[in-house]
Amino acid sequence: MRANTNDTLTEDASPATLVPEHAIKGSHSRDRSASALSTSSLRNVLPGRSRAPSEATLALPATSAGASTHSVASGISKHTLDSQSQDDALRPDPGTEKDFEVVGNKFAFSPGQLNKMQNPKSLAAFIALGGLPGLETGLRTDVDAGLSLEETELAGSVTFEESHSGEAFYDRKRVYSGNTLPAKKPISFFKLMWEAYYRENVLILLSVAAVISLALGLYETFGVDHGPNAPPSIDWIEGCAICVSIAVVVMVGAVNDYQKERAFVKLNAKKEARDVKVIRSGKSFTLSVYDVLVGDVLHMEPGDIIPVDGIFISGHNVKCDESSATGESDQMKKTNAEQVLRLLERGHSDSKDLDPFVISGSKVLEGVGTYLVTSVGINSSYGKILMAMRHEMEPTPLQVKLDGLAKSIAKLATGASFFLLLVLLFRLVATFPGSPLSATEKASKFMDILIVSVTIIVVAVPEGLPLAITLSLAFATKQMVKMNNLVRIMKSCETMGNATTICSDKTGTLTQNKMTVVAGTFGEDTFDDKSPGAANNRSTEFAQRLTSEQKRLLIESIAINSTAFEGDGGEFGFVGSKTETALLGFAKNVLGMGSLSQERTSAHVIQLLPFDSSRKCMGAVQKLSNGTYRLLVKGASEILLGYSSSIALPSGQVSMDVSQSKRIATIIDNYAQQSLRTIGLIYRDFQQWPPRGAENPDDPSIAADLGTLLDDMTFLGVVGIQDPIRPGVPEAVQKAHHAGVITRMVTGDNVITAKAIAVDCGIYTDGIVMEGPEFRKLSDSQMDEILPRLQVLARSSPEDKRVLVTRLRHLGGIVAVTGDGTNDGPALKAADIGFSMGIAGTEVAKEASAIILMDDNFASILTALMWGRAVNDAVQKFLQFQITVNITALLVAFVTAVEDPDMRSVLTAVQLLWINLFMDSLAALSLSTDAPTEEILDRPPTPRTASIISMTMWKMIIGQTIYQVIVTFVLHYAGPLFLGYPEAEMRSLIFNLFVWLQIFNQYNNRRLDNNLNIFVNIHKNYHFIVLNIVMVGCQIAIVFYGSTAFSIVPLNGPQWAISVVVALFCMPWGVCVRLFPDPWFAAIAHVVGWPFLRVYWPLARVTTRVQNKLRPKRKQQNDQKTLDAASSDSGSYIGNANGKSPVDTVRDVEKSVL
């Protein structure tokens, strides 16, 4: 019979000592007639039940849910760990209804009802399920003997068409599943290549242009008679070059994704493969963690990682670290399930004494015990987190905008090409009457017109754009690794640049997850390592002010009176409770304590007095060199202050008067208001040990009780312990705020601690602080109303974090999430960009994240923010450069082809290839290598709905286009009149001029704003300098040696001077463009562009509908799957602003671009 079955409750007993915790060895002989509570007493707690849990028999389910739900008195709700009422304790949360529906359930509870106890911890659900006796009966198990090894198919009223009696635990696995997750099928390399190609509209558009260009080029080479002395046709080179460009982009993307997939498969292969100790049929033995089932009874020991969710049955002094699973920074003391019901019956309401919940993913710090498994596999807290991370990456904001730009360019280029084809075709047909040309020659003329028309499309398509993005991302990724940002997903860089919100976990991210002494008062001296304003009063200065005698007294008070010990893997090199390791760390790092074992060996310890829970203190007795004895006590500071009659000062002990007592009490209250855990140190010297009257009757050489000794003590000091903020966090939060990025704290810790840390970090100002249970009850409209002012979300579950991220994205924000624990996984995956900690982060958090902070420094997020903005700037710089080239080349080719009698463009196809592909590729690399500066944080983030091309960019594009078109047309039409060069030299001069215009225009595009200094930091960008030298060298070589391929002739000195000097004037012209006011340009653009848009939009709608009709059904289905996977709980699309689908957003981007 259990030792605590019939214990009586005394009024002065501490909740922690009301009932002795069970010893594991004696737990198997439990008397079932006298379970944890008597029948009458449990009825007082659960008046809705007709019998005690120990008398309950299994009631087979009458519904598909298969649940027998016990009603509970509403008066117990005040004792629960959350604010959930008893009435809806087992009610399904939105989206989890399927977990409550089990066909043919032969157990009393469904997986969903069992989950209600753990997500988050809920005593209401625990009581509604009948406590431990109800769970034991409902799960058809035995808390002492465990599951029966002979169990196969359970008896009941449910019948099956097929017998499964030969399979062990068949019904249990069918209802609650096994402790494994469905394997994720790896994606093949060829499929990754196909996805890298198929998802990019720009690549598809390039493919169409490449096929047409290649076909026409091959026709010109092999299908046309060029004559005996004509040079060989090389028009096919353009199509081949575009194909090479596509192949490079696809291969780079596929290789990166393949490496990521292989890392994921390796992570799954080694995931938690270990053995655990289980009790079945009354015997303990080891079993693979994958074979654990609901209803099993598992052992737990210090150091164990809990593999499944459960309820604590019995044990001794079990404490768990749940920081990685729930975000709770304090170690959690576990109270056995039967004692929880006893405390509730007595009206106890302290949640710290009412925690029987064992959470998967947590770590056992102290104690041994057993627990009843209630959820495994995909139903456990850990399993749900892993499954929540299994969804595909959504298009980044830049991808969506570029897709819209590509569609706009395709429609415009197609329209211009078709119009040119019609004009030239009409001109050709008009020459047919009376023409001496044969039918073959007429067909050749038509093919020439078709080539010119297709060239317009090729010129308009930005071939270098995908390459520019890939190069800029690769460069940024390489540089970020040097700055402790390991980028797992390349496209996350550009996403981070536009982040509007950072949702950060507290424990381990903003704080160090290492309890540390951060403040203290000893006598009249104090120190403060916590407040920024106390820079001259740190613990290092405090230690220098102490005398050697004071240091020795403090070190002995901490080192001797402690149960922690030295060991690897602990905090500060010590293993034990977080409070004791914090004190030992203070003694070691601040007071200069040497080896802990040497301190204890050199001290003559007479007696150790264990922790007294009623007085919240512990003590140790040391014999001094003068023959006296010193009692060292540490514990709750406010209690120990009441036992003190004197205070230790540097001058010696002085009597503690009322003013001194009030001063110390005020300091303790001040520490408590800052959410510091206060520990007091007191001592007293005795002439003999034990003192007269305090002897232990069984052993007169030791004292009987610590309580009899706590009188006339000397108050040594008080320290404040806290999980300290990581260095640089407040500054990083301030810089992020300056950059327009809001930082929010999302933690599983209690609201008082969360708010205090948020204040210290600068996160909380005057916003809203809310708890998870309250947050999850809000409707979507209520959430949307409070989210802009929400700064701290405390006591949040992993699902709360995910919902928060989802709603923030629904409101149009670009959300970054930081975290280090398993509980952060779903939010990291659901965010636009996830950051995990490389040192302290769990494998789950790292796998869910896109960027790993290798130094675990929150401030490193600023590095990612700066480089992300640099990537976006690089893409925009290249777009500004590329579109200028494309518009100019398109206008020059179009006008000169229409005007020319032979319908020839002034720039040949091969010349346009050099300008449009090779030049663009080099320019893409040169413009993507500018490192970010601090100035990049002086502007707000770019919203999702903002156009990728700003009004200032359009001003530069149009301004440079005007200059380039004018100088080209002047040389082409008026040049022969005032220069007198032959046609071949004029065409070569125009080609050379056009190339130099692009070379010098690169410098104009190094800035996206209206600042005039286009040479800023150019001397630091060696890539830009080298690539410009390469471009200049290649152009010189082409002019002198490429006459055949490029249809040009070598130029003399004056012709080179004309080309370079005229092109150079585009830079002072750029100054004039920047000085032109943006509002004036916007007004002009609105007037001039409005007629064009009135024509374009209806035509664009028609072409979009035609494309949708011709679109393959499979691609439509894939888009719909992506849409469904990215939907929030309310069904809105979370990947884009305002709940719009990608197609709708692309259309909006088209309009904003135009």
Side-chain angles (χ1 to χ4, degrees), residues 66 388 873 982:
D873 286 355

Side-chain angles (χ1 to χ4, degrees), residues 823-835:
N823 61 313
D824 299 315
L828 287 169
K829 200 71 175 181
D832 291 287
I833 173 75
F835 290 87

Side-chain angles (χ1 to χ4, degrees), residues 19 56 103 158 167 191 286 302 314 419 435 575 623 663 675 745 761 853 940 1029 1079 1120 1133:
V19 183
V103 177
V158 179
E167 183 179 350
K191 186 175 181 181
T286 58
S314 63
F419 180 65
S435 174
V575 178
K623 185 175 182 179
R663 181 179 68 88
S675 192
M745 178 190 290
C761 293
L853 304 178
I1029 294 173
Q1120 187 60 41
Y1133 185 76

Side-chain angles (χ1 to χ4, degrees), residues 518-519 526-541:
V518 296
T526 65
F527 68 89
D528 188 352
D529 290 341
K530 179 175 178 290
S531 302
N536 297 324
N537 192 27
R538 302 303 191 193
S539 56
T540 51
E541 288 82 3

